[in-house]
C-alpha cells in the first residue's frame, strides 16, 4: 500500500477529529497494460492535495493508495481492509466497472462515501443509486451516446460497433445505439484484455461499413487501432470512439494510424477557460506530462471531496450531512459547467474531439464542437433519490 501523508499530524482511528488528517482510500488499477489509467487518476487527485498544502477544502488529508490489479476480488479485499483496519470513511479511485460493481455497492452499504473518478455503471445510476455514491466523471453510456448522436448527424448509415464483454462495454454499445438513428451493420463483444483483433477486422471488412465505433480502453485500443490501420480499412472507413480509447497517451502509442480519429469527451486539454488553463499548466509543471481525462477526473474527485470537507469542517461523524454537502458541492472544474444530478452523476457538456498531428510530430485532441449541453444520463429517471 502506498500511503501519501500529505498533511500534518499522525494517523488515527477517528477520521473526523479536527487535529488529525482525514483518511481517503484509493483503490485503483496501477498494474496491467491499463495501469496508467489509475496512475493518472492518482496523480490528478494528488495535485489537488498538493495545491491545498496537504489539505482539501482546508482540511488535512492522508491518501491511502492500493493497486487492484483490475481484479474485482482484490478490489473488494482492499476496500474491506481500508474500512476495517484504517477507518476510512471516504473512498475513490476505481477504473473498471467490473471492479466497481464488486466494491461500490458494498462500500456504501457499509456506511462509506464513494466518489468515483471513472467507473460509472448503469446499475449504480438507476434503481441502484445510493445517497453515498457519487461520480464526477460520467455514467458509462454518456460519451458513447454522444458518438451515436454524432454518427447520426454526420450521416453514417452503416456503422460497425464493438466493445469488450464486461459491464462498461455493454453500457458503451447500449449508449451508442440509444442515439444512433440506424441499425448497426455489425456488433460484437471482444474479450477484456484482448490483443489480437484479426477476426473482428475480418468481420468489419465483410460488413463494408462507412464507420466503426469502438470502445477499447488502454492497451486494447492501441492494438486495435494499429491492426485496423494495417488492414487498410482506415482509408475508407471513419474510426470513431470516445475519450476512453483516445487520450493522447493512447494516440501517440498508436502513432499516425490514429490521426483523424473522432471521439467524445467531457473535457479536453485545449478547452478554452481560465480554470482549465491553470490546471493543465500546473499538471505539466508537476508531472512533466499533458494531463489525460483520467488526470482531470482524479483532480475533480479531490475538488468535490474538498468542497464537502470545507462545508462540514472535516467532520465525518455525520455522513448524511457530508453526503448532502457533497451533493451541492460547488467547485471550479477544468471541464466548465458541472453539477450532480438527482442520482449523483454529472450533468455536463460533451464535446467532439479530433486527433490532430502537431508540428512536433505528436498527436493531440482538438475540440471540434459541442455534441450535448447539460446532458443527463439515461438512468437518472429510475433513481428514487430527490
Amino acid at each position: 500500500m502506498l500511503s501519501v501523508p500529505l498533511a500534518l499530524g499522525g494517523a488515527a482511528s477517528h477520521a473526523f477529529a479536527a487535529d488529525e488528517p482525514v483518511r481517503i482510500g484509493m483503490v485503483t488499477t496501477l498494474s496491467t497494460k491499463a495501469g496508467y489509467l489509475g496512475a493518472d487518476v492518482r496523480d490528478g487527485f494528488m495535485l489537488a492535495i498538493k495545491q491545498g498544502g496537504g489539505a482539501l477544502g482546508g482540511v488535512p488529508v492522508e491518501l491511502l493508495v492500493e493497486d487492484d490489479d483490475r481484479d474485482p476480488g482484490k478490489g473488494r479485499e482492499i476496500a474491506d481492509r481500508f474500512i476495517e483496519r484504517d477507518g476510512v470513511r471516504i473512498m475513490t479511485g476505481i477504473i473498471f466497472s467490473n471492479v466497481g460493481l464488486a466494491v461500490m455497492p458494498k462500500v456504501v452499504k457499509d456506511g462509506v462515501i464513494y466518489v468515483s473518478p471513472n467507473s460509472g455503471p448503469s446499475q449504480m445510476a438507476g434503481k441502484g443509486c445510493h445517497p453515498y455514491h457519487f461520480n464526477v466523471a460520467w455514467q458509462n453510456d454518456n460519451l458513447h451516446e454522444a458518438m451515436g448522436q454524432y454518427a447520426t448527424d454526420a450521416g453514417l448509415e452503416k456503422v460497425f460497433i464493438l466493445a469488450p464483454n464486461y459491464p462498461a462495454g455493454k453500457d458503451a454499445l447500449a449508449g451508442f445505439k440509444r442515439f444512433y438513428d440506424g441499425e448497426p451493420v455489425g456488433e460484437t463483444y471482444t474479450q477484456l484484455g484482448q490483443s489480437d483483433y484479426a477476426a473482428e477486422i475480418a468481420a468489419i471488412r465483410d460488413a463494408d461499413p462507412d464507420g466503426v465505433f469502438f470502445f477499447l480502453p488502454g492497451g486494447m485500443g492501441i492494438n486495435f487501432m494499429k491492426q485496423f490501420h494495417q488492414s487498410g480499412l482506415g482509408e475508407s472507413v471513419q474510426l470513431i470512439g470516445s475519450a476512453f480509447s483516445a487520450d493522447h497517451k493512447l494516440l501517440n502509442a498508436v502513432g499516425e494510424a490514429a490521426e483523424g480519429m473522432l471521439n467524445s469527451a467531457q473535457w479536453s486539454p485545449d478547452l478554452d477557460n481560465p480554470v482549465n488553463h491553470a490546471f493543465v499548466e500546473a499538471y505539466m509543471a508537476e508531472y512533466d506530462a499533458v494531463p489525460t481525462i483520467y488526470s482531470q477526473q482524479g483532480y475533480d474527485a479531490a475538488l468535490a471531496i474538498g468542497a464537502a470537507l470545507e462545508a462540514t469542517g472535516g467532520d465525518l461523524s455525520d455522513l448524511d450531512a457530508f453526503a448532502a454537502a457533497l451533493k451541492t458541492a460547488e467547485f471550479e472544474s477544468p471541464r466548465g459547467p458541472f453539477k450532480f444530478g438527482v442520482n449523483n452523476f454529472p450533468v455536463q457538456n460533451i464535446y467532439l474531439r479530433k486527433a490532430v498531428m502537431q508540428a512536433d510530430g505528436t498527436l493531440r485532441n482538438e475540440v471540434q464542437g459541442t455534441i450535448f449541453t447539460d446532458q443527463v444520463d439515461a438512468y437518472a429517471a429510475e433513481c428514487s433519490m430527490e
Side-chain angles (χ1 to χ4, degrees), residues 207-227:
D208 190 29
D210 51 14
V212 169
F213 169 78
F214 72 103
F215 164 65
L216 294 167
M220 293 180 287
I222 294 173
N223 290 326
F224 174 74
M225 282 189 279
K226 285 183 174 180
Q227 292 167 34

Side-chain angles (χ1 to χ4, degrees), residues 8 28 32 39 185 192 242 253 264 275-276 282 311 315 326 336 353 375:
L8 300 176
T28 196
T32 77
V185 294
L192 189 61
S242 64
S264 54
V275 176
N276 191 46
D315 185 351
L326 188 54
R353 309 189 305 178
Q375 185 191 30

Side-chain angles (χ1 to χ4, degrees), residues 63-111:
L63 183 64
L64 309 178
V65 185
E66 286 205 36
D67 178 17
D68 60 33
D69 288 326
R70 206 172 67 189
D71 182 321
K74 185 173 182 181
R76 188 161 178 167
E77 290 174 7
I78 296 168
D80 288 344
R81 188 162 60 246
F82 277 159
I83 296 169
E84 296 167 8
R85 184 191 68 189
D86 302 311
V88 164
R89 308 293 297 281
I90 304 172
M91 290 183 60
T92 187
I94 292 174
I95 301 298
F96 289 90
S97 289
N98 56 335
V99 179
L101 287 173
V103 174
M104 295 185 296
K106 183 177 186 299
V107 162
V108 296
K109 184 178 179 181
D110 288 346

